[in-house]
């Protein structure tokens, strides 16, 4: 979560995308920069990116490199047994997390590992269940990876591209 009681400043980048601010930080607290924070109104179409320096001995300036805020979308993934098979479907869904976090280490910001993908973990869809719908937020230009096995059959994989026009997928078996 983002503590808005301790915001030292906010601003908008110039036409070149550059921004700067002066912090009166006492060097005793963690330091973070939130780009397009989701905690504020009007940022729903773009992801948030968080940069954190936990060292306590902060740099005088940070180079964040090029920040590309691609569009994020709500994706709807539906699973339904339309063939009346009596086999159980076992599946996972992997998709790119919309927000990113970076930690300052050894003089540079590195992605926090383990946060790149979100996973709807191993699930079962039994023959008598109604259609199941998963809705999640992901990035335009990413891919959704759907791995599944029906009954005793081998695991198969479907890759689904995410575009502004392709924000839903129906898997019928």
């Amino acid at each position: 979560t983002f503590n808005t009681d301790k915001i030292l400043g906010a601003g908008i980048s110039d036409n070149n995308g550059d921004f700067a601010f002066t912090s009166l930080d006492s060097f005793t607290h963690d330091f973070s920069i939130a780009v397009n924070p989701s905690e504020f109104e009007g940022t729903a179409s773009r992801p948030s990116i968080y940069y954190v320096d936990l060292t306590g001995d902060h740099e005088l300036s940070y180079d964040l490199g090029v920040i590309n805020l691609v569009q994020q979308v709500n994706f709807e993934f539906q699973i339904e047994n339309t063939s009346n098979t009596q086999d159980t479907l076992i599946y996972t869904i992997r998709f790119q997390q919309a927000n990113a976090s970076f930690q300052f280490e050894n003089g540079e910001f590195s992605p926090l590992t383990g946060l790149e993908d979100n996973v709807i973990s191993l699930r079962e869809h039994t023959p008598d269940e109604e259609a199941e719908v998963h809705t999640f937020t992901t990035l335009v230009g990413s891919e959704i990876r759907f791995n599944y096995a029906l009954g005793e059959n081998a695991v198969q994989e479907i890759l689904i591209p995410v575009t502004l026009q392709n924000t839903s997928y129906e898997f019928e078996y």
Side-chain angles (χ1 to χ4, degrees), residues 44-94:
S45 67
R46 304 287 176 185
S48 299
I49 302 177
Y50 300 93
Y51 298 89
V52 180
D53 182 354
L54 303 175
T55 62
D57 196 17
H58 308 308
E59 301 290 315
L60 292 177
S61 66
Y62 296 94
D63 181 1
L64 303 180
V66 175
I67 301 171
N68 186 11
L69 294 175
V70 299
Q71 193 156 0
Q72 64 184 19
V73 293
N74 287 326
F75 197 94
E76 187 173 282
F77 197 108
Q78 180 174 317
I79 298 171
E80 185 174 11
N81 180 355
T82 57
S83 68
N84 294 321
T85 182
Q86 293 305 303
D87 290 330
T88 295
L89 178 76
I90 298 174
Y91 66 93
T92 61
I93 302 171
R94 288 187 181 277

Side-chain angles (χ1 to χ4, degrees), residues 73 75 140 161-168:
V73 293
F75 197 94
V140 169
V162 178
T163 66
L164 288 174
Q165 297 76 30
N166 186 29
T167 59
S168 65

Side-chain angles (χ1 to χ4, degrees), residues 23-150:
S23 170
L24 301 177
D25 182 28
S26 66
F27 293 96
T28 59
H29 301 298
D30 299 342
F31 177 74
S32 63
I33 300 169
V35 178
N36 200 46
S38 60
E39 294 80 10
F40 296 104
E41 295 294 322
T43 62
S45 67
R46 304 287 176 185
S48 299
I49 302 177
Y50 300 93
Y51 298 89
V52 180
D53 182 354
L54 303 175
T55 62
D57 196 17
H58 308 308
E59 301 290 315
L60 292 177
S61 66
Y62 296 94
D63 181 1
L64 303 180
V66 175
I67 301 171
N68 186 11
L69 294 175
V70 299
Q71 193 156 0
Q72 64 184 19
V73 293
N74 287 326
F75 197 94
E76 187 173 282
F77 197 108
Q78 180 174 317
I79 298 171
E80 185 174 11
N81 180 355
T82 57
S83 68
N84 294 321
T85 182
Q86 293 305 303
D87 290 330
T88 295
L89 178 76
I90 298 174
Y91 66 93
T92 61
I93 302 171
R94 288 187 181 277
F95 56 95
Q96 186 174 349
Q97 179 170 291
N99 298 323
S101 296
F102 298 86
Q103 184 169 332
F104 193 73
E105 297 174 315
N106 303 321
E108 64 183 25
F109 283 102
S110 301
L112 288 176
T113 57
L115 300 177
E116 298 85 13
D117 285 339
N118 276 349
V119 178
I120 296 176
S121 59
L122 193 61
R123 302 272 177 103
E124 288 186 355
H125 190 260
T126 58
D128 56 337
E129 282 185 72
E130 295 292 320
E132 190 167 330
V133 178
H134 299 281
T135 303
F136 48 86
T137 303
T138 191
L139 298 176
V140 169
S142 65
E143 265 185 344
I144 295 169
R145 191 177 294 267
F146 178 60
N147 293 320
Y148 69 95
L150 185 58

